[in-house]
Amino acid sequence: MELEIGGPFSNSAVAAEPPASTIGVLFSGGLDSSILIGHLLALGESVQPIYVAGGLVWESAELVAARQLLNRLAGPRLAPLVVLEMPLADLYGRHWSTDGGQTPDATTPDEAVYLPGRNPL
């Protein structure tokens, strides 16, 4: 049996039987992880999106957008978003990314907006 998957990510048919495993995707709602989830779903894979919350000031807005995208991609192979908490305030201390104070702007040098260890964390 074949099932047609629609939307912007695929025009191809995939097997209707669910795959034997689920692929976890670290999902920020950004371009790369969003495209990856759409692509995996178009291939017929089951996907578990995982968001790692660090307590940064922009995360509430980021999560709203991430959930909106996942709602658009919703289907039987997309698991509900899992949000893991990994507070960064104790690592960053008093910092614009955790307290919103002295937020950088377009004139701020790159080294001032760098978040140490952000990607590996």
Side-chain angles (χ1 to χ4, degrees):
M1 176 179 201
E2 297 270 319
L3 174 68
E4 192 69 31
I5 302 294
F9 296 102
S10 174
N11 291 328
S12 63
V14 294
E17 294 77 30
S21 63
T22 299
I23 298 171
V25 175
L26 291 174
F27 179 61
S28 66
L31 189 60
D32 294 339
S33 58
S34 298
I35 289 172
L36 179 58
I37 287 176
H39 178 69
L40 290 169
L41 291 171
L43 292 175
E45 301 290 348
S46 289
V47 177
Q48 174 63 69
I50 303 164
Y51 182 91
V52 180
L56 305 177
V57 294
W58 57 83
E59 287 176 351
S60 59
E62 194 173 65
L63 273 168
V64 167
R67 286 188 170 110
Q68 287 175 342
L69 176 73
L70 293 174
N71 286 338
R72 300 272 316 218
L73 297 174
R77 290 191 174 97
L78 182 61
L81 179 65
V82 169
V83 178
L84 302 178
E85 300 287 332
M86 190 166 119
L88 298 173
D90 57 338
L91 294 173
Y92 287 164
R94 196 169 158 88
H95 191 263
W96 65 266
S97 66
T98 57
D99 65 19
Q102 297 182 346
T103 305
D105 63 19
T107 64
T108 306
D110 287 346
E111 58 272 8
V113 298
Y114 176 70
L115 298 174
R118 173 75 170 126
N119 286 337
L121 293 172

